[in-house]
Structures are given as C-alpha cells and as structure tokens.
Amino acid sequence: METRPLNRIKVVLAEKMVSNKELAEKLGKDPATISKWVTNTSQPSLENLIEIARCLDCEINDLVRK
C-alpha cells in the first residue's frame, strides 16, 4: 500500500472543526471535490487554495507546508 504525505487541508479542517461538507458549501463546490483534495487524489488550484485559506481563516502556507 502506497503511503501519501499528510494532507494539510485535512489537518486544518480538523483544527478548525469544519467538515468537508461545510467547506464545500462555503466554496460552492461539490463535496466529492473536497474529498479528493483531502485524500490527495487531486490537488486544488492556486485560486481554490486562496479561497480555502479565506474560508478557514488561515494562511495558504498552513495548507501547503510540510
């Protein structure tokens, strides 16, 4: 089984106690899209990262740093 790096979006969502569904609603995205980002199946665009940071009241660095 392949191990993937820890996903920072998932960590910040947990720290802020925000669900994938809540973030999807705030961003106007499908919850499946958020799930793909959280599980590293796909990555959000820079524009989406900016919006995620705004919605979660954090810095973009919090979402991408290791």
Side-chain angles (χ1 to χ4, degrees), residues 24-38:
E25 289 172 359
K26 288 180 181 181
L27 294 173
K29 301 284 183 190
D30 189 299
T33 301
I34 306 302
S35 179
K36 288 178 183 177
W37 295 343
V38 168

Side-chain angles (χ1 to χ4, degrees), residues 14-25:
E15 289 172 353
K16 301 285 184 170
M17 294 190 290
V18 175
S19 71
N20 291 4
K21 183 178 178 184
E22 290 171 309
L23 181 60
E25 289 172 359

Side-chain angles (χ1 to χ4, degrees), residues 8-64:
R8 292 296 308 162
I9 297 172
K10 183 176 185 174
V11 171
V12 175
L13 281 170
E15 289 172 353
K16 301 285 184 170
M17 294 190 290
V18 175
S19 71
N20 291 4
K21 183 178 178 184
E22 290 171 309
L23 181 60
E25 289 172 359
K26 288 180 181 181
L27 294 173
K29 301 284 183 190
D30 189 299
T33 301
I34 306 302
S35 179
K36 288 178 183 177
W37 295 343
V38 168
T39 60
N40 283 337
T41 304
S42 70
Q43 298 300 314
S45 67
L46 179 57
E47 292 82 13
N48 283 322
L49 274 175
I50 292 168
E51 284 300 305
I52 293 167
R54 184 187 58 76
C55 287
L56 297 177
D57 193 30
C58 68
E59 300 291 324
I60 292 176
N61 271 354
D62 297 334
L63 301 172
V64 296

